[in-house]
Amino acid sequence: MAVISCLSAVCVCAGMRCVALVLKVVLSLLGSEMIVAQLWCPEVCSCAAGVVDCSKRGLTTASLLPSSFPPHTTALQLNDNHLTALPHGLLDSLPALRRAALHGNPWSCDCGILYLRGWLLKQSNPASIQNASCSSPAHLRGRLLVFLSEQELLDSCRYWLCNLALASQISLFIFITVQVLLLASVILFLRRFELLSREALHLFDQKYRKKR
């Protein structure tokens, strides 16, 4: 009996050591994952347990928006910023991503939003699909992005390109007008200078003749 008791005690001790060893391995793995997540975490965001919080950071499409996120991101919070579109491929490297908070952004529903629309159409989470709506152009304001047809977005692109072309033509006209005015000013100045030079020479010639 004593032998059996000793063997039981040894087994229990061995089992406890195994459990402790497993716990140490798990904790070390969790610790390494946390370290990796923090290394991948963008400076303007906070990261914890697969959730990347970039909300209310004043992010814009042109500046501050991170170019990448931790590969094990499961939830991405980009809400309440100043985003009008997302760069092509930004979310493609996040296979574990299941939820994206996109509300509270002035999304511009033109050809620049096609990538985000395509990504949303591939998602099965209604919360991600239904929290991105158009802020511009005016005729699409309030429409959910996923319910817009590709043709509607392309038509908005054409309007935008037409407006850009018109603005470029107006700018070119103003530039040419300014150049013409500057050239006319230079010509008038040179003529005035020539006239003053002739008058000065005439007065000098008169004074010289009087002295003689």
Side-chain angles (χ1 to χ4, degrees), residues 17 50 76 84 93 111 116-118 140 152 172:
R17 287 179 181 176
L76 179 61
T84 56
S93 60
C111 49
L116 178 57
R117 174 183 174 272
L140 296 179
E152 285 180 298
L172 180 61

Side-chain angles (χ1 to χ4, degrees), residues 102-103 107 109 113 116-117 120-121 126-135 139-150 152-153:
L102 303 170
H103 59 277
W107 299 112
C109 293
I113 206 75
L116 178 57
R117 174 183 174 272
L120 288 172
L121 289 175
S128 296
I129 295 174
Q130 298 180 8
N131 65 9
S133 58
C134 302
S135 180
H139 68 283
L140 296 179
R141 185 175 297 131
R143 297 272 303 276
L144 288 176
L145 181 55
V146 290
F147 294 145
L148 294 176
S149 67
E150 187 172 336
E152 285 180 298
L153 296 176

Side-chain angles (χ1 to χ4, degrees), residues 4 16 32 36 63 66-67 74 79 87 99 102 133 137 154 180 207 210 212:
I4 294 175
M16 293 178 64
S32 62
V36 171
S63 64
S67 59
T74 58
N79 54 288
R99 180 170 54 86
L102 303 170
S133 58
L154 293 176
V180 170
K207 288 181 180 180
K210 288 180 180 179
R212 292 186 61 184

Side-chain angles (χ1 to χ4, degrees), residues 1 7 20-21 67-68 104 108 110 127 136-137 149-150 170 174 184-185 187:
M1 292 295 293
L7 289 174
L21 181 61
S67 59
S68 63
S108 180
D110 52 29
S136 63
S149 67
E150 187 172 336
I170 293 174
I174 294 174
S185 299
I187 292 173

